[in-house]
Every structure is written in structure tokens, then in C-alpha cells.
PDB file of all heavy atoms in Angstrom:
ATOM      1  N   ALA A   1     -23.782  -4.782 -12.734  1.00  0.00           N
ATOM      2  CA  ALA A   1     -25.120  -4.861 -12.163  1.00  0.00           C
ATOM      3  C   ALA A   1     -25.692  -6.269 -12.318  1.00  0.00           C
ATOM      4  O   ALA A   1     -25.540  -6.901 -13.337  1.00  0.00           O
ATOM      5  CB  ALA A   1     -26.064  -3.859 -12.834  1.00  0.00           C
ATOM      6  N   GLY A   2     -26.302  -6.750 -11.269  1.00  0.00           N
ATOM      7  CA  GLY A   2     -26.937  -8.078 -11.315  1.00  0.00           C
ATOM      8  C   GLY A   2     -25.951  -9.228 -11.314  1.00  0.00           C
ATOM      9  O   GLY A   2     -26.319 -10.339 -11.690  1.00  0.00           O
ATOM     10  N   SER A   3     -24.703  -8.993 -10.894  1.00  0.00           N
ATOM     11  CA  SER A   3     -23.701 -10.051 -10.866  1.00  0.00           C
ATOM     12  C   SER A   3     -22.935 -10.067  -9.561  1.00  0.00           C
ATOM     13  O   SER A   3     -22.711  -9.012  -8.951  1.00  0.00           O
ATOM     14  CB  SER A   3     -22.688  -9.861 -12.031  1.00  0.00           C
ATOM     15  OG  SER A   3     -23.330  -9.956 -13.292  1.00  0.00           O
ATOM     16  N   GLN A   4     -22.548 -11.254  -9.139  1.00  0.00           N
ATOM     17  CA  GLN A   4     -21.693 -11.406  -7.979  1.00  0.00           C
ATOM     18  C   GLN A   4     -20.515 -12.320  -8.391  1.00  0.00           C
ATOM     19  O   GLN A   4     -20.455 -12.792  -9.533  1.00  0.00           O
ATOM     20  CB  GLN A   4     -22.436 -11.984  -6.795  1.00  0.00           C
ATOM     21  CG  GLN A   4     -23.001 -13.356  -7.006  1.00  0.00           C
ATOM     22  CD  GLN A   4     -23.765 -13.855  -5.787  1.00  0.00           C
ATOM     23  OE1 GLN A   4     -23.804 -13.231  -4.759  1.00  0.00           O
ATOM     24  NE2 GLN A   4     -24.355 -15.032  -5.923  1.00  0.00           N
ATOM     25  N   GLY A   5     -19.580 -12.547  -7.489  1.00  0.00           N
ATOM     26  CA  GLY A   5     -18.450 -13.406  -7.794  1.00  0.00           C
ATOM     27  C   GLY A   5     -17.224 -12.633  -8.284  1.00  0.00           C
ATOM     28  O   GLY A   5     -16.126 -13.163  -8.227  1.00  0.00           O
ATOM     29  N   ARG A   6     -17.428 -11.406  -8.761  1.00  0.00           N
ATOM     30  CA  ARG A   6     -16.331 -10.589  -9.220  1.00  0.00           C
ATOM     31  C   ARG A   6     -16.477  -9.167  -8.673  1.00  0.00           C
ATOM     32  O   ARG A   6     -17.599  -8.673  -8.531  1.00  0.00           O
ATOM     33  CB  ARG A   6     -16.269 -10.509 -10.781  1.00  0.00           C
ATOM     34  CG  ARG A   6     -16.342 -11.832 -11.478  1.00  0.00           C
ATOM     35  CD  ARG A   6     -16.055 -11.669 -12.972  1.00  0.00           C
ATOM     36  NE  ARG A   6     -14.635 -11.478 -13.205  1.00  0.00           N
ATOM     37  CZ  ARG A   6     -13.792 -12.481 -13.385  1.00  0.00           C
ATOM     38  NH1 ARG A   6     -14.187 -13.714 -13.392  1.00  0.00           N
ATOM     39  NH2 ARG A   6     -12.508 -12.227 -13.600  1.00  0.00           N
ATOM     40  N   HIS A   7     -15.349  -8.524  -8.410  1.00  0.00           N
ATOM     41  CA  HIS A   7     -15.340  -7.117  -8.067  1.00  0.00           C
ATOM     42  C   HIS A   7     -14.769  -6.341  -9.271  1.00  0.00           C
ATOM     43  O   HIS A   7     -13.757  -6.731  -9.842  1.00  0.00           O
ATOM     44  CB  HIS A   7     -14.493  -6.853  -6.815  1.00  0.00           C
ATOM     45  CG  HIS A   7     -15.163  -7.241  -5.534  1.00  0.00           C
ATOM     46  ND1 HIS A   7     -15.936  -6.390  -4.808  1.00  0.00           N
ATOM     47  CD2 HIS A   7     -15.194  -8.452  -4.892  1.00  0.00           C
ATOM     48  CE1 HIS A   7     -16.415  -7.001  -3.747  1.00  0.00           C
ATOM     49  NE2 HIS A   7     -15.986  -8.276  -3.771  1.00  0.00           N
ATOM     50  N   TYR A   8     -15.487  -5.280  -9.612  1.00  0.00           N
ATOM     51  CA  TYR A   8     -15.127  -4.497 -10.804  1.00  0.00           C
ATOM     52  C   TYR A   8     -14.496  -3.180 -10.399  1.00  0.00           C
ATOM     53  O   TYR A   8     -14.993  -2.488  -9.507  1.00  0.00           O
ATOM     54  CB  TYR A   8     -16.405  -4.218 -11.629  1.00  0.00           C
ATOM     55  CG  TYR A   8     -16.946  -5.440 -12.345  1.00  0.00           C
ATOM     56  CD1 TYR A   8     -17.669  -6.392 -11.660  1.00  0.00           C
ATOM     57  CD2 TYR A   8     -16.748  -5.599 -13.700  1.00  0.00           C
ATOM     58  CE1 TYR A   8     -18.161  -7.524 -12.317  1.00  0.00           C
ATOM     59  CE2 TYR A   8     -17.238  -6.719 -14.383  1.00  0.00           C
ATOM     60  CZ  TYR A   8     -17.945  -7.671 -13.660  1.00  0.00           C
ATOM     61  OH  TYR A   8     -18.413  -8.797 -14.312  1.00  0.00           O
ATOM     62  N   TYR A   9     -13.416  -2.840 -11.085  1.00  0.00           N
ATOM     63  CA  TYR A   9     -12.662  -1.608 -10.797  1.00  0.00           C
ATOM     64  C   TYR A   9     -12.445  -0.836 -12.099  1.00  0.00           C
ATOM     65  O   TYR A   9     -12.043  -1.407 -13.129  1.00  0.00           O
ATOM     66  CB  TYR A   9     -11.290  -1.927 -10.178  1.00  0.00           C
ATOM     67  CG  TYR A   9     -11.355  -2.698  -8.890  1.00  0.00           C
ATOM     68  CD1 TYR A   9     -11.481  -4.087  -8.890  1.00  0.00           C
ATOM     69  CD2 TYR A   9     -11.304  -2.032  -7.662  1.00  0.00           C
ATOM     70  CE1 TYR A   9     -11.533  -4.782  -7.717  1.00  0.00           C
ATOM     71  CE2 TYR A   9     -11.340  -2.730  -6.484  1.00  0.00           C
ATOM     72  CZ  TYR A   9     -11.475  -4.128  -6.494  1.00  0.00           C
ATOM     73  OH  TYR A   9     -11.501  -4.808  -5.333  1.00  0.00           O
ATOM     74  N   ARG A  10     -12.723   0.457 -12.065  1.00  0.00           N
ATOM     75  CA  ARG A  10     -12.273   1.354 -13.149  1.00  0.00           C
ATOM     76  C   ARG A  10     -10.872   1.848 -12.783  1.00  0.00           C
ATOM     77  O   ARG A  10     -10.616   2.136 -11.622  1.00  0.00           O
ATOM     78  CB  ARG A  10     -13.251   2.527 -13.292  1.00  0.00           C
ATOM     79  CG  ARG A  10     -14.673   2.115 -13.552  1.00  0.00           C
ATOM     80  CD  ARG A  10     -14.965   1.882 -15.029  1.00  0.00           C
ATOM     81  NE  ARG A  10     -16.193   1.127 -15.192  1.00  0.00           N
ATOM     82  CZ  ARG A  10     -17.401   1.634 -15.037  1.00  0.00           C
ATOM     83  NH1 ARG A  10     -17.542   2.912 -14.704  1.00  0.00           N
ATOM     84  NH2 ARG A  10     -18.464   0.901 -15.206  1.00  0.00           N
ATOM     85  N   TYR A  11     -10.030   1.962 -13.781  1.00  0.00           N
ATOM     86  CA  TYR A  11      -8.647   2.320 -13.433  1.00  0.00           C
ATOM     87  C   TYR A  11      -8.131   3.405 -14.360  1.00  0.00           C
ATOM     88  O   TYR A  11      -8.605   3.587 -15.490  1.00  0.00           O
ATOM     89  CB  TYR A  11      -7.733   1.114 -13.471  1.00  0.00           C
ATOM     90  CG  TYR A  11      -7.558   0.461 -14.842  1.00  0.00           C
ATOM     91  CD1 TYR A  11      -6.511   0.865 -15.696  1.00  0.00           C
ATOM     92  CD2 TYR A  11      -8.399  -0.559 -15.270  1.00  0.00           C
ATOM     93  CE1 TYR A  11      -6.331   0.260 -16.907  1.00  0.00           C
ATOM     94  CE2 TYR A  11      -8.220  -1.152 -16.494  1.00  0.00           C
ATOM     95  CZ  TYR A  11      -7.182  -0.754 -17.324  1.00  0.00           C
ATOM     96  OH  TYR A  11      -7.000  -1.336 -18.568  1.00  0.00           O
ATOM     97  N   THR A  12      -7.136   4.121 -13.879  1.00  0.00           N
ATOM     98  CA  THR A  12      -6.383   5.080 -14.664  1.00  0.00           C
ATOM     99  C   THR A  12      -4.935   4.602 -14.754  1.00  0.00           C
ATOM    100  O   THR A  12      -4.458   3.869 -13.855  1.00  0.00           O
ATOM    101  CB  THR A  12      -6.425   6.479 -14.041  1.00  0.00           C
ATOM    102  OG1 THR A  12      -5.923   6.418 -12.713  1.00  0.00           O
ATOM    103  CG2 THR A  12      -7.841   7.033 -14.018  1.00  0.00           C
ATOM    104  N   VAL A  13      -4.259   4.980 -15.826  1.00  0.00           N
ATOM    105  CA  VAL A  13      -2.920   4.513 -16.066  1.00  0.00           C
ATOM    106  C   VAL A  13      -1.959   5.702 -16.043  1.00  0.00           C
ATOM    107  O   VAL A  13      -2.205   6.725 -16.673  1.00  0.00           O
ATOM    108  CB  VAL A  13      -2.818   3.798 -17.448  1.00  0.00           C
ATOM    109  CG1 VAL A  13      -1.399   3.292 -17.648  1.00  0.00           C
ATOM    110  CG2 VAL A  13      -3.843   2.688 -17.555  1.00  0.00           C
ATOM    111  N   ASP A  14      -0.889   5.530 -15.276  1.00  0.00           N
ATOM    112  CA  ASP A  14       0.219   6.498 -15.279  1.00  0.00           C
ATOM    113  C   ASP A  14       1.391   5.782 -15.990  1.00  0.00           C
ATOM    114  O   ASP A  14       2.158   5.057 -15.325  1.00  0.00           O
ATOM    115  CB  ASP A  14       0.585   6.902 -13.891  1.00  0.00           C
ATOM    116  CG  ASP A  14       1.702   7.955 -13.849  1.00  0.00           C
ATOM    117  OD1 ASP A  14       2.307   8.209 -14.921  1.00  0.00           O
ATOM    118  OD2 ASP A  14       1.966   8.516 -12.768  1.00  0.00           O
ATOM    119  N   PRO A  15       1.557   5.929 -17.298  1.00  0.00           N
ATOM    120  CA  PRO A  15       2.592   5.159 -18.010  1.00  0.00           C
ATOM    121  C   PRO A  15       4.005   5.522 -17.591  1.00  0.00           C
ATOM    122  O   PRO A  15       4.920   4.675 -17.701  1.00  0.00           O
ATOM    123  CB  PRO A  15       2.322   5.512 -19.491  1.00  0.00           C
ATOM    124  CG  PRO A  15       1.572   6.792 -19.467  1.00  0.00           C
ATOM    125  CD  PRO A  15       0.783   6.786 -18.193  1.00  0.00           C
ATOM    126  N   ALA A  16       4.199   6.750 -17.100  1.00  0.00           N
ATOM    127  CA  ALA A  16       5.517   7.146 -16.711  1.00  0.00           C
ATOM    128  C   ALA A  16       6.017   6.357 -15.495  1.00  0.00           C
ATOM    129  O   ALA A  16       7.215   5.999 -15.381  1.00  0.00           O
ATOM    130  CB  ALA A  16       5.551   8.634 -16.376  1.00  0.00           C
ATOM    131  N   ARG A  17       5.079   5.994 -14.583  1.00  0.00           N
ATOM    132  CA  ARG A  17       5.472   5.237 -13.396  1.00  0.00           C
ATOM    133  C   ARG A  17       4.965   3.802 -13.418  1.00  0.00           C
ATOM    134  O   ARG A  17       5.081   3.056 -12.459  1.00  0.00           O
ATOM    135  CB  ARG A  17       4.923   5.946 -12.148  1.00  0.00           C
ATOM    136  CG  ARG A  17       5.512   7.333 -11.907  1.00  0.00           C
ATOM    137  CD  ARG A  17       5.088   7.840 -10.547  1.00  0.00           C
ATOM    138  NE  ARG A  17       3.629   8.067 -10.449  1.00  0.00           N
ATOM    139  CZ  ARG A  17       2.995   8.229  -9.283  1.00  0.00           C
ATOM    140  NH1 ARG A  17       3.652   8.179  -8.137  1.00  0.00           N
ATOM    141  NH2 ARG A  17       1.686   8.464  -9.288  1.00  0.00           N
ATOM    142  N   ASN A  18       4.374   3.402 -14.604  1.00  0.00           N
ATOM    143  CA  ASN A  18       3.776   2.076 -14.698  1.00  0.00           C
ATOM    144  C   ASN A  18       2.808   1.817 -13.538  1.00  0.00           C
ATOM    145  O   ASN A  18       2.839   0.756 -12.893  1.00  0.00           O
ATOM    146  CB  ASN A  18       4.853   0.970 -14.735  1.00  0.00           C
ATOM    147  CG  ASN A  18       5.499   0.848 -16.106  1.00  0.00           C
ATOM    148  OD1 ASN A  18       5.266   1.702 -16.980  1.00  0.00           O
ATOM    149  ND2 ASN A  18       6.276  -0.176 -16.290  1.00  0.00           N
ATOM    150  N   LEU A  19       1.957   2.807 -13.291  1.00  0.00           N
ATOM    151  CA  LEU A  19       1.092   2.760 -12.123  1.00  0.00           C
ATOM    152  C   LEU A  19      -0.397   2.690 -12.554  1.00  0.00           C
ATOM    153  O   LEU A  19      -0.858   3.457 -13.405  1.00  0.00           O
ATOM    154  CB  LEU A  19       1.295   4.003 -11.255  1.00  0.00           C
ATOM    155  CG  LEU A  19       0.452   4.095  -9.986  1.00  0.00           C
ATOM    156  CD1 LEU A  19       0.785   2.977  -8.994  1.00  0.00           C
ATOM    157  CD2 LEU A  19       0.599   5.470  -9.346  1.00  0.00           C
ATOM    158  N   LEU A  20      -1.102   1.755 -11.943  1.00  0.00           N
ATOM    159  CA  LEU A  20      -2.566   1.642 -12.114  1.00  0.00           C
ATOM    160  C   LEU A  20      -3.223   2.078 -10.833  1.00  0.00           C
ATOM    161  O   LEU A  20      -2.881   1.568  -9.753  1.00  0.00           O
ATOM    162  CB  LEU A  20      -2.983   0.204 -12.469  1.00  0.00           C
ATOM    163  CG  LEU A  20      -2.359  -0.445 -13.711  1.00  0.00           C
ATOM    164  CD1 LEU A  20      -2.883  -1.865 -13.817  1.00  0.00           C
ATOM    165  CD2 LEU A  20      -2.696   0.342 -14.955  1.00  0.00           C
ATOM    166  N   THR A  21      -4.207   2.971 -10.942  1.00  0.00           N
ATOM    167  CA  THR A  21      -5.008   3.376  -9.784  1.00  0.00           C
ATOM    168  C   THR A  21      -6.401   2.823  -9.996  1.00  0.00           C
ATOM    169  O   THR A  21      -7.095   3.243 -10.912  1.00  0.00           O
ATOM    170  CB  THR A  21      -5.034   4.889  -9.614  1.00  0.00           C
ATOM    171  OG1 THR A  21      -3.698   5.382  -9.451  1.00  0.00           O
ATOM    172  CG2 THR A  21      -5.857   5.287  -8.384  1.00  0.00           C
ATOM    173  N   LEU A  22      -6.796   1.849  -9.161  1.00  0.00           N
ATOM    174  CA  LEU A  22      -8.061   1.183  -9.304  1.00  0.00           C
ATOM    175  C   LEU A  22      -9.075   1.728  -8.298  1.00  0.00           C
ATOM    176  O   LEU A  22      -8.774   1.884  -7.110  1.00  0.00           O
ATOM    177  CB  LEU A  22      -7.902  -0.327  -9.080  1.00  0.00           C
ATOM    178  CG  LEU A  22      -7.303  -1.191 -10.183  1.00  0.00           C
ATOM    179  CD1 LEU A  22      -5.880  -0.779 -10.514  1.00  0.00           C
ATOM    180  CD2 LEU A  22      -7.372  -2.670  -9.789  1.00  0.00           C
ATOM    181  N   LYS A  23     -10.275   1.973  -8.780  1.00  0.00           N
ATOM    182  CA  LYS A  23     -11.370   2.425  -7.900  1.00  0.00           C
ATOM    183  C   LYS A  23     -12.553   1.515  -8.116  1.00  0.00           C
ATOM    184  O   LYS A  23     -12.984   1.302  -9.256  1.00  0.00           O
ATOM    185  CB  LYS A  23     -11.748   3.884  -8.195  1.00  0.00           C
ATOM    186  CG  LYS A  23     -12.813   4.439  -7.243  1.00  0.00           C
ATOM    187  CD  LYS A  23     -13.072   5.907  -7.551  1.00  0.00           C
ATOM    188  CE  LYS A  23     -14.138   6.498  -6.660  1.00  0.00           C
ATOM    189  NZ  LYS A  23     -13.826   6.351  -5.217  1.00  0.00           N
ATOM    190  N   ASN A  24     -13.077   0.967  -7.037  1.00  0.00           N
ATOM    191  CA  ASN A  24     -14.193   0.026  -7.124  1.00  0.00           C
ATOM    192  C   ASN A  24     -15.402   0.699  -7.772  1.00  0.00           C
ATOM    193  O   ASN A  24     -15.841   1.770  -7.335  1.00  0.00           O
ATOM    194  CB  ASN A  24     -14.564  -0.516  -5.761  1.00  0.00           C
ATOM    195  CG  ASN A  24     -15.345  -1.824  -5.862  1.00  0.00           C
ATOM    196  OD1 ASN A  24     -16.288  -1.950  -6.639  1.00  0.00           O
ATOM    197  ND2 ASN A  24     -14.916  -2.797  -5.027  1.00  0.00           N
ATOM    198  N   SER A  25     -15.946   0.075  -8.841  1.00  0.00           N
ATOM    199  CA  SER A  25     -17.088   0.673  -9.569  1.00  0.00           C
ATOM    200  C   SER A  25     -18.401   0.532  -8.805  1.00  0.00           C
ATOM    201  O   SER A  25     -19.311   1.319  -9.027  1.00  0.00           O
ATOM    202  CB  SER A  25     -17.225  -0.022 -10.941  1.00  0.00           C
ATOM    203  OG  SER A  25     -16.028   0.079 -11.666  1.00  0.00           O
ATOM    204  N   ASN A  26     -18.502  -0.462  -7.962  1.00  0.00           N
ATOM    205  CA  ASN A  26     -19.723  -0.705  -7.202  1.00  0.00           C
ATOM    206  C   ASN A  26     -19.905   0.398  -6.188  1.00  0.00           C
ATOM    207  O   ASN A  26     -19.054   0.635  -5.337  1.00  0.00           O
ATOM    208  CB  ASN A  26     -19.612  -2.066  -6.517  1.00  0.00           C
ATOM    209  CG  ASN A  26     -20.904  -2.514  -5.901  1.00  0.00           C
ATOM    210  OD1 ASN A  26     -21.683  -1.712  -5.398  1.00  0.00           O
ATOM    211  ND2 ASN A  26     -21.141  -3.818  -5.914  1.00  0.00           N
ATOM    212  N   PRO A  27     -21.030   1.142  -6.231  1.00  0.00           N
ATOM    213  CA  PRO A  27     -21.239   2.237  -5.287  1.00  0.00           C
ATOM    214  C   PRO A  27     -21.292   1.778  -3.823  1.00  0.00           C
ATOM    215  O   PRO A  27     -21.115   2.582  -2.924  1.00  0.00           O
ATOM    216  CB  PRO A  27     -22.583   2.829  -5.721  1.00  0.00           C
ATOM    217  CG  PRO A  27     -23.252   1.770  -6.525  1.00  0.00           C
ATOM    218  CD  PRO A  27     -22.177   1.001  -7.189  1.00  0.00           C
ATOM    219  N   ASN A  28     -21.478   0.470  -3.601  1.00  0.00           N
ATOM    220  CA  ASN A  28     -21.437  -0.067  -2.231  1.00  0.00           C
ATOM    221  C   ASN A  28     -20.016  -0.110  -1.681  1.00  0.00           C
ATOM    222  O   ASN A  28     -19.823  -0.322  -0.495  1.00  0.00           O
ATOM    223  CB  ASN A  28     -22.046  -1.470  -2.179  1.00  0.00           C
ATOM    224  CG  ASN A  28     -23.540  -1.439  -2.496  1.00  0.00           C
ATOM    225  OD1 ASN A  28     -24.276  -0.627  -1.979  1.00  0.00           O
ATOM    226  ND2 ASN A  28     -23.971  -2.344  -3.362  1.00  0.00           N
ATOM    227  N   TYR A  29     -19.038   0.056  -2.552  1.00  0.00           N
ATOM    228  CA  TYR A  29     -17.625   0.052  -2.142  1.00  0.00           C
ATOM    229  C   TYR A  29     -16.919   1.282  -2.715  1.00  0.00           C
ATOM    230  O   TYR A  29     -15.788   1.224  -3.206  1.00  0.00           O
ATOM    231  CB  TYR A  29     -16.920  -1.201  -2.644  1.00  0.00           C
ATOM    232  CG  TYR A  29     -17.607  -2.497  -2.260  1.00  0.00           C
ATOM    233  CD1 TYR A  29     -18.519  -3.088  -3.108  1.00  0.00           C
ATOM    234  CD2 TYR A  29     -17.350  -3.095  -1.016  1.00  0.00           C
ATOM    235  CE1 TYR A  29     -19.160  -4.278  -2.772  1.00  0.00           C
ATOM    236  CE2 TYR A  29     -17.987  -4.259  -0.677  1.00  0.00           C
ATOM    237  CZ  TYR A  29     -18.898  -4.865  -1.543  1.00  0.00           C
ATOM    238  OH  TYR A  29     -19.545  -6.002  -1.202  1.00  0.00           O
ATOM    239  N   ALA A  30     -17.597   2.416  -2.663  1.00  0.00           N
ATOM    240  CA  ALA A  30     -17.118   3.620  -3.315  1.00  0.00           C
ATOM    241  C   ALA A  30     -15.772   4.105  -2.783  1.00  0.00           C
ATOM    242  O   ALA A  30     -14.998   4.731  -3.530  1.00  0.00           O
ATOM    243  CB  ALA A  30     -18.147   4.754  -3.210  1.00  0.00           C
ATOM    244  N   ALA A  31     -15.444   3.796  -1.537  1.00  0.00           N
ATOM    245  CA  ALA A  31     -14.185   4.281  -0.942  1.00  0.00           C
ATOM    246  C   ALA A  31     -13.014   3.384  -1.205  1.00  0.00           C
ATOM    247  O   ALA A  31     -11.878   3.689  -0.835  1.00  0.00           O
ATOM    248  CB  ALA A  31     -14.357   4.459   0.569  1.00  0.00           C
ATOM    249  N   GLU A  32     -13.249   2.245  -1.886  1.00  0.00           N
ATOM    250  CA  GLU A  32     -12.196   1.256  -2.079  1.00  0.00           C
ATOM    251  C   GLU A  32     -11.281   1.620  -3.255  1.00  0.00           C
ATOM    252  O   GLU A  32     -11.730   1.724  -4.406  1.00  0.00           O
ATOM    253  CB  GLU A  32     -12.830  -0.114  -2.302  1.00  0.00           C
ATOM    254  CG  GLU A  32     -11.787  -1.229  -2.424  1.00  0.00           C
ATOM    255  CD  GLU A  32     -12.462  -2.576  -2.572  1.00  0.00           C
ATOM    256  OE1 GLU A  32     -13.433  -2.825  -1.811  1.00  0.00           O
ATOM    257  OE2 GLU A  32     -12.019  -3.367  -3.416  1.00  0.00           O
ATOM    258  N   THR A  33     -10.006   1.806  -2.975  1.00  0.00           N
ATOM    259  CA  THR A  33      -9.031   2.205  -3.997  1.00  0.00           C
ATOM    260  C   THR A  33      -7.761   1.346  -3.840  1.00  0.00           C
ATOM    261  O   THR A  33      -7.285   1.121  -2.721  1.00  0.00           O
ATOM    262  CB  THR A  33      -8.672   3.688  -3.879  1.00  0.00           C
ATOM    263  OG1 THR A  33      -9.848   4.464  -4.015  1.00  0.00           O
ATOM    264  CG2 THR A  33      -7.677   4.090  -4.962  1.00  0.00           C
ATOM    265  N   LEU A  34      -7.214   0.899  -4.968  1.00  0.00           N
ATOM    266  CA  LEU A  34      -5.950   0.184  -4.980  1.00  0.00           C
ATOM    267  C   LEU A  34      -4.958   0.915  -5.877  1.00  0.00           C
ATOM    268  O   LEU A  34      -5.362   1.459  -6.933  1.00  0.00           O
ATOM    269  CB  LEU A  34      -6.128  -1.248  -5.526  1.00  0.00           C
ATOM    270  CG  LEU A  34      -6.864  -2.290  -4.656  1.00  0.00           C
ATOM    271  CD1 LEU A  34      -8.368  -2.036  -4.698  1.00  0.00           C
ATOM    272  CD2 LEU A  34      -6.543  -3.693  -5.163  1.00  0.00           C
ATOM    273  N   GLN A  35      -3.713   0.917  -5.475  1.00  0.00           N
ATOM    274  CA  GLN A  35      -2.654   1.472  -6.315  1.00  0.00           C
ATOM    275  C   GLN A  35      -1.617   0.376  -6.553  1.00  0.00           C
ATOM    276  O   GLN A  35      -0.978  -0.127  -5.610  1.00  0.00           O
ATOM    277  CB  GLN A  35      -1.986   2.673  -5.634  1.00  0.00           C
ATOM    278  CG  GLN A  35      -2.864   3.933  -5.665  1.00  0.00           C
ATOM    279  CD  GLN A  35      -2.102   5.183  -5.309  1.00  0.00           C
ATOM    280  OE1 GLN A  35      -1.227   5.146  -4.459  1.00  0.00           O
ATOM    281  NE2 GLN A  35      -2.425   6.283  -5.962  1.00  0.00           N
ATOM    282  N   LEU A  36      -1.458  -0.006  -7.838  1.00  0.00           N
ATOM    283  CA  LEU A  36      -0.638  -1.123  -8.198  1.00  0.00           C
ATOM    284  C   LEU A  36       0.292  -0.759  -9.360  1.00  0.00           C
ATOM    285  O   LEU A  36      -0.144  -0.158 -10.362  1.00  0.00           O
ATOM    286  CB  LEU A  36      -1.512  -2.326  -8.615  1.00  0.00           C
ATOM    287  CG  LEU A  36      -2.579  -2.794  -7.626  1.00  0.00           C
ATOM    288  CD1 LEU A  36      -3.476  -3.818  -8.302  1.00  0.00           C
ATOM    289  CD2 LEU A  36      -1.948  -3.360  -6.372  1.00  0.00           C
ATOM    290  N   THR A  37       1.547  -1.087  -9.225  1.00  0.00           N
ATOM    291  CA  THR A  37       2.446  -0.978 -10.366  1.00  0.00           C
ATOM    292  C   THR A  37       2.315  -2.221 -11.230  1.00  0.00           C
ATOM    293  O   THR A  37       1.979  -3.312 -10.721  1.00  0.00           O
ATOM    294  CB  THR A  37       3.914  -0.835  -9.909  1.00  0.00           C
ATOM    295  OG1 THR A  37       4.275  -1.972  -9.144  1.00  0.00           O
ATOM    296  CG2 THR A  37       4.094   0.427  -9.099  1.00  0.00           C
ATOM    297  N   TYR A  38       2.532  -2.083 -12.514  1.00  0.00           N
ATOM    298  CA  TYR A  38       2.402  -3.216 -13.417  1.00  0.00           C
ATOM    299  C   TYR A  38       3.700  -3.419 -14.182  1.00  0.00           C
ATOM    300  O   TYR A  38       4.393  -2.482 -14.546  1.00  0.00           O
ATOM    301  CB  TYR A  38       1.247  -3.050 -14.395  1.00  0.00           C
ATOM    302  CG  TYR A  38       1.387  -1.905 -15.367  1.00  0.00           C
ATOM    303  CD1 TYR A  38       1.975  -2.100 -16.643  1.00  0.00           C
ATOM    304  CD2 TYR A  38       0.953  -0.638 -15.037  1.00  0.00           C
ATOM    305  CE1 TYR A  38       2.109  -1.041 -17.535  1.00  0.00           C
ATOM    306  CE2 TYR A  38       1.061   0.442 -15.918  1.00  0.00           C
ATOM    307  CZ  TYR A  38       1.642   0.241 -17.167  1.00  0.00           C
ATOM    308  OH  TYR A  38       1.787   1.270 -18.035  1.00  0.00           O
ATOM    309  N   THR A  39       4.036  -4.689 -14.383  1.00  0.00           N
ATOM    310  CA  THR A  39       5.219  -5.057 -15.147  1.00  0.00           C
ATOM    311  C   THR A  39       4.810  -6.131 -16.165  1.00  0.00           C
ATOM    312  O   THR A  39       4.268  -7.179 -15.738  1.00  0.00           O
ATOM    313  CB  THR A  39       6.340  -5.596 -14.252  1.00  0.00           C
ATOM    314  OG1 THR A  39       6.658  -4.618 -13.249  1.00  0.00           O
ATOM    315  CG2 THR A  39       7.582  -5.928 -15.063  1.00  0.00           C
ATOM    316  N   LYS A  40       5.041  -5.871 -17.440  1.00  0.00           N
ATOM    317  CA  LYS A  40       4.782  -6.881 -18.455  1.00  0.00           C
ATOM    318  C   LYS A  40       6.011  -7.746 -18.601  1.00  0.00           C
ATOM    319  O   LYS A  40       7.030  -7.301 -19.144  1.00  0.00           O
ATOM    320  CB  LYS A  40       4.394  -6.214 -19.773  1.00  0.00           C
ATOM    321  CG  LYS A  40       3.074  -5.468 -19.690  1.00  0.00           C
ATOM    322  CD  LYS A  40       2.666  -4.885 -21.046  1.00  0.00           C
ATOM    323  CE  LYS A  40       1.314  -4.202 -20.975  1.00  0.00           C
ATOM    324  NZ  LYS A  40       0.896  -3.639 -22.286  1.00  0.00           N
ATOM    325  N   ALA A  41       5.930  -8.995 -18.131  1.00  0.00           N
ATOM    326  CA  ALA A  41       7.083  -9.889 -18.063  1.00  0.00           C
ATOM    327  C   ALA A  41       7.261 -10.748 -19.306  1.00  0.00           C
ATOM    328  O   ALA A  41       8.183 -11.565 -19.348  1.00  0.00           O
ATOM    329  CB  ALA A  41       6.959 -10.768 -16.829  1.00  0.00           C
ATOM    330  N   GLY A  42       6.445 -10.598 -20.298  1.00  0.00           N
ATOM    331  CA  GLY A  42       6.544 -11.401 -21.502  1.00  0.00           C
ATOM    332  C   GLY A  42       5.694 -12.642 -21.425  1.00  0.00           C
ATOM    333  O   GLY A  42       5.279 -13.082 -20.335  1.00  0.00           O
TER     334      GLY A  42
END
């Protein structure tokens, strides 16, 4: 709230598939969802 320049996403983790499901926290972008796999490369 009261900030611009960044988009904020709440996410859930599926550790079995290394999957992050991101949902935009801003109610102005309530339908925005990203699904991203993550790899920790060291």
C-alpha cells in the first residue's frame, strides 16, 4: 500500500515439482497469476 515501482505477489510452493504459483497481491491485478519452476543453482 502506498508504493509503486514494484509488483507484489503472494506465492505457494510445491516442493515436489519445485513449482511456485504467484498471485498478484494488489486487488487492482487480482486475476494476475504466474506459475514458475525454481532451481537453486548455487
Side-chain angles (χ1 to χ4, degrees):
S3 297
Q4 61 181 357
R6 310 189 76 89
H7 284 269
Y8 288 77
Y9 300 84
R10 303 275 164 74
Y11 66 90
T12 58
V13 182
D14 182 350
R17 296 190 295 164
N18 281 11
L19 180 66
L20 302 178
T21 301
L22 284 61
K23 184 176 178 58
N24 200 314
S25 303
N26 189 325
N28 294 314
Y29 307 93
E32 184 177 315
T33 302
L34 289 76
Q35 286 194 323
L36 306 171
T37 60
Y38 65 91
T39 304
K40 293 184 177 180

